[in-house]
Amino acid sequence: MNHFSSVRDVPDLKQLLETALAVKQHPHAWHQLGKHKTLGLVFFNSSLRTRMSSQRAAYNLGMNTIVLNVSSDSWQLEFADGAVMRHDKAEHIRDAAPVMGQYCDLIGIRAFAGLQDREADYREEVLEAFKQYAGVPIISLESATLHPLQSFADLITIEMHKRSSRPRVVLSWAPHPRALPQAVANSFAEWMLRAEVELVITHPEGYELDPRFTQGAEVEYDQRKAFEGADFVYAKNWSSYTHYGQILTQSEGWMIDAEKMALTRQAFFMHCLPVRRNVVVADAVIDSPQSLATEQAANRVVSMQTVLKSMLEQGVASN
Ligand code: SN0
């Protein structure tokens, strides 16, 4: 793994999952591995779990961290080639990224989709510019199209709770008051399609995801039918990909409640958080013993630590 921004960067997923289970059991067993190494964490968007779990994962490996919140603490960055920089952006990525690469051995980047220009978002302009100019390995902390550390944590969580060798995992669209990126859903689909699960995606018409990430998954437009026999229900809102960035309907009827969960095989409920209670999911579901939301968040330390450990052992961060 030179960079980690998709499951496609993982050469052997089974092995990575095995490593994760070892890391979960013995989080401090590699506390010297990251000695004298620095992880940069660069945020263009808000974060709670990603920031705290990344710092904790680095600490468990004996690494130092430097956090930069670009939107509030730093110069605003220009990404356009050949820009005449007379406006609000003070520094170009061609200058900023190599400097960060001097201070850090690995850099994590969070840069959400802008949801205005589909081509630009799906080209991953920000993430790719860091890969091109920083000169050190880049780890996605949620990019415009994917959130691999979340999906890896989700896979670890499913692995710990599955009751059969090939559980039925349902990714369900849910309502939300704001337009959100497709990244979590794209990424979850991409990881599940490479794991030992049966993936079903359910959403209202118009919320079809980019087939580059979902090819091979079953799509069921009837949410209740999708829930029948489910072992895991993964709730997430996303805005339309085809009518890019739009909320097509409020679809309140898609909220996940106890009555719908009763259609499942006593399924576990999953959400990556932050969640809008009683819009996406009813209190009774997220507060039930079947909810894995806190455990998913706990496994964010495990997924990040496993990725850092693999990169450090490979010697990719050898400044
Ligand atoms: C982000 C998303 O991609 O959907 C991050 C999820 C890990 N979620 C939000 O931005 C939610 C914000 C809100 O207003 O509820």
Side-chain angles (χ1 to χ4, degrees), residues 46 49-50 110 112 141-143 147 150 176-185 236-238 271-276 300:
S46 309
R49 277 147 293 275
T50 298
R110 165 160 283 194
F112 289 176
L141 308 175
E142 186 173 343
S143 70
H147 194 358
Q150 180 64 50
H176 200 282
R178 289 180 51 215
L180 298 186
Q182 297 93 31
V184 171
K236 185 70 187 83
N237 170 268
W238 60 90
H271 193 282
C272 64
L273 303 177
V275 72
R276 304 287 189 124
R300 291 294 307 278

Side-chain angles (χ1 to χ4, degrees), residues 28-64:
H28 301 292
W30 299 272
H31 69 282
Q32 295 275 8
L33 186 64
K35 200 174 169 192
H36 300 150
K37 299 288 182 195
T38 295
L39 170 67
L41 296 166
V42 179
F43 291 95
F44 289 83
N45 311 94
S46 309
S47 169
L48 186 159
R49 277 147 293 275
T50 298
R51 177 167 172 166
M52 293 182 77
S53 64
S54 298
Q55 289 195 272
R56 177 59 197 260
Y59 169 81
N60 287 354
L61 294 168
M63 290 182 93
N64 178 39

Side-chain angles (χ1 to χ4, degrees), residues 33 37 52 57 89 109 143 151 199 259-260 313:
L33 186 64
K37 299 288 182 195
M52 293 182 77
K89 309 253 170 73
I109 305 291
S143 70
S151 313
L199 177 66
E259 185 237 314
K260 282 181 202 161
E313 282 173 349

